[in-house]
Amino acid sequence: MKSDSPEQHKVIKNLIEAHSWLGLIISPLLFLVFWAGAVTLFHDEVTQWAITPHHPVDNSQADIPLAKLVEQQLAQYPVDQTGRFRINMPTALVPYYIFYFDVFGDAPEPDRQSMAILVDPKSGKTVAGKDDFYLSQFIYRLHYNLDLPGGSYLIGIVTLIFLFALVSGIFIHARKLLKHFFLYRVDKQRRDKLLDIHTVVGVMTLPFTLMYALSGLILNLAIVFQLAFVMFIYQGDQQALFNDAGFNRTSEPRSEIPLEMSNAFSLIEQTQQQPNVELRNIIFHHYGADNALVQVRGTDTVNFAQRDEVTYRVQDGSVMDKVNADNYNVFRQGRDVLVSLHFSNFAGVDIRILYFILAMAISAMIVTGNMLWLDKRRSQRHTSPRSLAIVSAITLGGCGGIIVATAVGFLCERLLPATLPGRNEWLIGCFVVSLLAVMLYSIKVNDTKRHISQLLLLTSGILVVTILADWIMFSEPIIALWHSGYRGVIGVQIGMGLIAVVCIYTASRLATVNQTTYLKNI
């Protein structure tokens, strides 16, 4: 077999070094993205688990007509009706209407404030603010923007670096990719095992990671492409770009002539009765005015990643705009395909479980990559112990801290009183404090495997306490919800239980390996 030339060897060596350093730099954020993305796959189940035990929905009652609910909410809140407001429909997992609208404040010169509330479709009562039970939304935000202003750009850059790491990893292992496709050396030294885990998982999940990297990059950095198009192709006309992309928005001012809105709800009902359409949300423009519009949006249950969307003029029922399988916009269709692939909302729970397993495998690959880097640096004579401690805290402490902090988040979501002011801020605070505490604890770590096993056992303990708290606090509502068809609460409990079992099993295996290594060294 022909050996590599010195130039080729140098290129491969530099590529490996760049791959290692880039992976190390982005590893905590990348781990957070994949870990939070895995949990976000069950966003609606987590939402149901968090809210419905506090506010169960009585399915024995009939739904209040939507028209009556809208009038009640408009009478209850100082809604700014010069613009638009949106209503998300109840689903099998989140059985509440979600109203999004702008309201006026109480100041002498009132400013508009965005507001989102959950409304029981049976009683018409406002059960909570949308952000009162913030866990599922917080984890989702961590996935795409770290719950920070401008965080989506940072995640976009991390995704770009990750894409380079994927490509460089393919080049590094290209020659032995097929020969060592399933290679895992159980009888060799620890570094070989870690390297095999890192490589095999990377190869097996490659199509998934490439799809995630490309779709995440486009979705997070879409604003960059948008600005370029606006400046160079549309000569600064942003609205023209939106129109061509299929995001048409009404710009006409509100009419002063009032209009009775019963026809709007007839149009909504008419659209809802169409075959192969699952109604998702409704947007009202200039509600109660002569030029009112109602935009009805749903999901096509037959075609892949296809939405059905129609905008009516309420006064005469005329169609102002329409999007469906026969009348679609290429840009929006492409974006919908990316979103469907990225969040696996095109199929059932089985696909989401597969996505979850793959995301967990990639998270494990990131951790093994960090451990390989630390092992390599510890074996070098001139490596600073302080730099190793910092890297250990940032990488292993960051990754392990995210796992522990997520478990703490679930525990806080269950234990914090539903009426606690600033409940979402308390939850975020507990998450951040837990993460920082684990990172500080990870600064002086000599035995990496023992440290990881301790964090896994801590995580499993928190999850078990959360499950026990569920049944102690809400045993009757949980059973009633199960009989009413709301299986998400117990489903999330089963998921937490399985993760706790995996954590305990992994920790025990790490302890066994440690004990074997110790006996060999005696």
Side-chain angles (χ1 to χ4, degrees):
M1 182 177 177
K2 186 178 179 181
S3 61
D4 293 335
S5 66
E7 292 79 9
Q8 290 175 325
H9 182 74
K10 184 177 180 181
V11 169
I12 294 174
K13 182 178 179 181
N14 291 336
L15 194 60
I16 293 173
E17 194 69 18
H19 179 87
S20 300
W21 275 104
L22 286 174
L24 181 72
I25 291 169
I26 67 170
S27 60
L29 287 179
L30 191 61
F31 183 91
L32 175 59
V33 168
F34 274 98
W35 178 265
V39 180
T40 297
L41 292 169
F42 301 94
H43 175 279
D44 287 351
E45 284 86 354
V46 174
T47 301
Q48 184 186 127
W49 169 83
I51 303 176
T52 52
H54 290 276
H55 306 285
V57 175
D58 186 1
N59 277 338
S60 64
Q61 298 181 15
D63 286 357
I64 295 177
L66 180 58
K68 184 177 180 180
L69 285 178
V70 171
E71 294 297 336
Q72 286 178 353
Q73 301 308 317
L74 293 179
Q76 185 176 355
Y77 299 100
V79 178
D80 177 16
Q81 298 184 18
T82 59
R84 64 177 194 161
F85 66 89
R86 188 179 88 204
I87 306 170
N88 283 7
M89 307 300 288
T91 66
L93 292 173
V94 184
Y96 312 100
Y97 287 104
I98 307 178
F99 283 72
Y100 298 85
F101 38 58
D102 292 334
V103 297
F104 291 109
D106 298 327
E109 295 182 1
D111 295 326
R112 292 189 302 176
Q113 304 174 16
S114 296
M115 184 176 182
I117 57 173
L118 280 69
V119 177
D120 189 323
K122 311 294 183 178
S123 66
K125 295 180 180 178
T126 299
V127 299
K130 185 175 182 293
D131 290 339
D132 290 345
F133 296 90
Y134 193 56
L135 179 64
S136 58
Q137 190 66 13
F138 175 61
I139 294 176
Y140 172 53
R141 289 177 180 271
L142 286 177
H143 173 66
Y144 78 90
N145 71 355
L146 303 178
D147 203 29
L148 295 173
S152 59
Y153 304 125
L154 176 60
I155 295 300
I157 294 171
V158 168
T159 307
L160 183 61
I161 297 173
F162 176 55
L163 183 60
F164 171 80
L166 283 177
V167 175
S168 62
I170 293 172
F171 277 105
I172 290 169
H173 299 286
R175 291 180 304 172
K176 300 179 180 179
L177 198 61
L178 295 178
K179 182 180 178 182
H180 294 167
F181 193 79
F182 294 106
L183 178 64
Y184 180 68
R185 293 164 286 198
V186 296
D187 56 343
K188 299 293 183 180
Q189 60 181 340
R190 173 172 173 264
R191 179 173 173 79
D192 286 337
K193 294 178 184 178
L194 289 177
L195 183 59
D196 289 344
I197 292 173
H198 186 79
T199 304
V200 170
V201 171
V203 172
M204 294 296 291
T205 62
L206 187 59
F208 177 76
T209 49
L210 281 173
M211 180 276 293
Y212 249 123
L214 289 171
S215 59
L217 178 65
I218 293 171
L219 293 173
N220 278 84
L221 294 183
I223 185 67
V224 176
F225 306 122
Q226 176 185 319
L227 289 173
F229 281 130
V230 168
M231 293 299 296
F232 297 107
I233 298 179
Y234 287 86
Q235 305 298 316
D237 190 347
Q238 187 178 37
Q239 188 57 49
L241 170 64
F242 287 159
N243 291 340
D244 286 349
F247 296 99
N248 300 317
R249 294 189 64 174
T250 179
S251 57
E252 60 180 325
R254 179 182 175 86
S255 171
E256 297 299 326
I257 304 173
L259 178 70
E260 200 273 327
M261 294 292 291
S262 60
N263 191 42
F265 298 97
S266 299
L267 294 169
I268 293 169
E269 183 67 23
Q270 171 186 323
T271 306
Q272 196 169 14
Q273 297 303 320
Q274 293 180 2
N276 305 325
V277 176
E278 182 180 356
L279 190 60
R280 290 295 187 184
N281 55 57
I282 300 156
I283 300 176
F284 288 103
H285 302 262
H286 305 316
Y287 187 91
D290 184 63
N291 60 342
L293 304 175
V294 59
Q295 188 176 8
V296 185
R297 304 196 295 188
T299 301
D300 190 320
T301 57
V302 174
N303 296 291
F304 174 73
Q306 177 62 55
R307 71 174 68 193
D308 277 6
E309 185 176 302
V310 58
T311 303
Y312 298 102
R313 185 171 292 279
V314 176
Q315 186 180 42
D316 55 12
S318 58
V319 175
M320 306 296 294
D321 188 43
K322 191 172 187 178
V323 176
N324 57 24
D326 299 321
N327 182 28
Y328 63 91
N329 180 276
V330 174
F331 178 88
R332 288 189 68 175
Q333 181 70 13
R335 182 183 181 277
D336 290 342
V337 168
L338 286 178
V339 170
S340 295
L341 289 174
H342 195 84
F343 291 102
S344 71
N345 57 10
F346 56 89
V349 69
D350 50 347
I351 295 296
R352 287 190 286 145
I353 291 173
L354 175 62
Y355 268 49
F356 181 86
I357 294 172
L358 290 170
M360 290 293 102
I362 295 170
S363 300
M365 181 185 70
I366 294 168
V367 174
T368 56
N370 291 346
M371 294 171 68
L372 284 168
W373 191 94
L374 288 170
D375 284 351
K376 181 180 178 181
R377 290 301 183 272
R378 286 195 181 105
S379 64
Q380 296 176 351
R381 295 182 179 179
H382 303 294
T383 303
S384 167
R386 179 177 296 179
S387 64
L388 283 176
I390 294 173
V391 172
S392 178
I394 293 175
T395 56
L396 293 180
C399 297
I402 289 164
I403 297 173
V404 174
T406 303
V408 170
F410 273 83
L411 181 61
C412 291
E413 184 75 306
R414 179 52 73 225
L415 294 183
L416 290 175
T419 56
L420 178 67
R423 190 177 188 274
N424 59 335
E425 296 174 1
W426 279 95
L427 187 145
I428 295 172
C430 292
F431 183 96
V432 173
V433 168
S434 303
L435 174 58
L436 293 177
V438 173
M439 291 182 69
L440 290 174
Y441 176 65
S442 304
I443 289 178
K444 294 183 179 180
V445 174
N446 295 321
D447 191 337
T448 303
K449 285 184 285 188
R450 181 183 178 189
H451 178 66
I452 293 175
S453 66
Q454 289 174 343
L455 295 180
L456 291 175
L457 289 174
L458 177 60
T459 301
S460 62
I462 296 171
L463 291 176
V464 170
V465 171
T466 304
I467 296 171
L468 292 175
D470 260 357
W471 287 100
I472 292 171
M473 298 171 64
F474 300 107
S475 56
E476 292 184 7
I478 289 173
I479 294 172
L481 287 165
W482 176 270
H483 290 302
S484 297
Y486 298 116
R487 310 292 168 83
V489 178
I490 293 181
V492 171
Q493 291 175 349
I494 292 172
M496 288 191 288
L498 290 174
I499 292 174
V501 169
V502 170
C503 288
I504 294 171
Y505 174 78
T506 306
S508 66
R509 293 291 297 172
L510 289 172
T512 303
V513 171
N514 259 3
Q515 185 177 8
T516 303
T517 304
Y518 173 75
L519 292 174
K520 286 182 178 180
N521 293 331
I522 294 178

